[in-house]
Amino acid sequence: MSGIRWILTCAGCYALYCLLLFLLQRHLIFPSLFVGLPDDPSLPEFVERLWVSVPGAKVEGWFLPSDISKESPRPLVIFAHGNGELIDWWPETFRGLNRRGLHVLLLEYPGYGRSLGKPSQKNIARAFCAAHDLMTQRPDVDASRIILFGRSIGGGVACALASQRSSAALILTSTFTSLHPFARRYLAPSFLLRDPFDNKAVVSSYAGPVLIVHGTHDTVVPYAHGKALAQAARHSRFVAYDADHNDCPPDWEAFFDVLVDFLEQTRVL
């Protein structure tokens, strides 16, 4: 009987562990950083602030206009950041794309920074779809040349958006195939995942060109994930950097040259 009790005790402890992971997983995936920031941030003068409202969420967006040909519609990059970041961190970096003739939209996640709501794959995708629809109505945006760009968990956001809205190209940096392998890291069954972000499935069915970028020494999302995404895509270019997770790419200006070359070679630009 002692052996049966031991087995039952272990099974009960494992079941409790899985229950806790199920309940807390979104706090692990989406830390909801810096809640309660000042309502009126000190914005760079080139940033246009906007808000996107969807059921259960109101998210902040920063539009960075192209420096070139403001009289005619320009391509737009919609950027989704990592799970431990905010849109506040990115305007100066993405000015590099403005100088190369592209608009950029930085959109926050529900529950992050000044944005309201709770982060989840469904809620974030809903907000990004609404932002996509809003931006394609602008006369200064070329709706036929929307480029989706995601970093880390943002790659999952970009793929979720790509599965629901049209786009001209998809760019994924330091992105995973899905979150199922990460569930196994925690010794938990993957069916418990509430936000699986099955990026490989989206990439494999995506008709447009895909640029995959990954660090060879990525300790958060293994390099093999980037290779697998590139192999799954119909039309892909894979770029590897001698970098870890948070320093990939190591030189953003040099990477933007690669990005623009990719868009030109695939006739998006």
Side-chain angles (χ1 to χ4, degrees):
M1 291 296 293
S2 61
I4 295 176
R5 287 179 181 174
W6 183 84
I7 292 172
L8 291 175
T9 299
C10 290
C13 290
Y14 179 69
L16 179 60
Y17 169 73
C18 289
L19 176 62
L20 288 173
L21 278 181
F22 178 77
L23 295 174
L24 298 175
Q25 61 182 277
R26 282 183 174 153
H27 295 283
L28 298 173
I29 299 172
F30 305 110
S32 303
L33 292 184
F34 306 107
V35 175
L37 291 177
D39 290 337
D40 295 314
S42 178
L43 297 179
E45 61 180 11
F46 58 85
V47 170
E48 176 188 332
R49 192 185 192 195
L50 55 92
W51 291 91
V52 177
S53 295
V54 294
K58 181 180 180 182
V59 299
E60 183 178 13
W62 289 4
F63 178 73
L64 286 56
S66 164
D67 291 349
I68 301 173
S69 301
K70 291 183 172 61
E71 294 79 14
S72 59
R74 300 298 303 168
L76 170 71
V77 174
I78 300 178
F79 178 68
H81 60 62
N83 73 334
E85 301 165 358
L86 294 171
I87 59 172
D88 304 53
W89 302 7
W90 290 103
E92 292 298 336
T93 297
F94 278 96
R95 284 293 286 161
L97 286 184
N98 294 157
R99 291 190 291 270
R100 291 167 172 82
L102 291 90
H103 298 312
V104 176
L105 175 67
L106 308 175
L107 192 68
E108 198 53 274
Y109 300 155
Y112 276 64
R114 292 162 291 270
S115 297
L116 305 177
K118 294 183 178 180
S120 69
Q121 179 175 347
K122 181 179 179 180
N123 288 344
I124 296 173
R126 182 185 290 151
F128 271 72
C129 285
H132 176 284
D133 296 345
L134 179 67
M135 300 309 291
T136 55
Q137 296 173 15
R138 292 179 61 120
D140 55 348
V141 170
D142 185 344
S144 68
R145 293 190 290 173
I146 303 293
I147 300 139
L148 310 183
F149 184 178
R151 197 190 93 75
S152 192
I153 196 75
V157 175
C159 285
L161 178 56
S163 70
Q164 299 181 53
R165 294 293 188 274
S166 62
S167 58
L170 181 61
I171 301 165
L172 305 175
T173 66
S174 307
T175 299
F176 45 86
T177 55
S178 79
L179 287 184
H180 288 115
F182 297 89
R184 292 192 286 272
R185 283 188 187 181
Y186 288 90
L187 304 178
S190 60
F191 66 78
L192 293 178
L193 277 171
R194 303 167 75 179
D195 306 293
F197 285 109
D198 193 350
N199 301 325
K200 186 176 180 181
V202 173
V203 164
S204 65
S205 62
Y206 186 73
V210 184
L211 176 63
I212 309 289
V213 181
H214 220 98
T216 56
H217 308 297
D218 195 322
T219 55
V220 178
V221 179
Y223 178 71
H225 282 249
K227 292 290 291 183
L229 287 174
Q231 291 168 0
R234 299 179 185 179
H235 313 287
S236 70
R237 180 189 296 185
F238 183 73
V239 177
Y241 287 104
D242 184 15
D244 201 335
H245 188 73
N246 289 321
D247 61 348
C248 181
D251 184 331
W252 280 89
E253 280 294 313
F255 168 64
F256 286 152
D257 287 337
V258 173
L259 188 157
V260 169
D261 177 72
F262 167 76
L263 295 177
E264 289 175 345
Q265 292 296 321
T266 54
R267 299 185 179 182
V268 176
L269 297 182

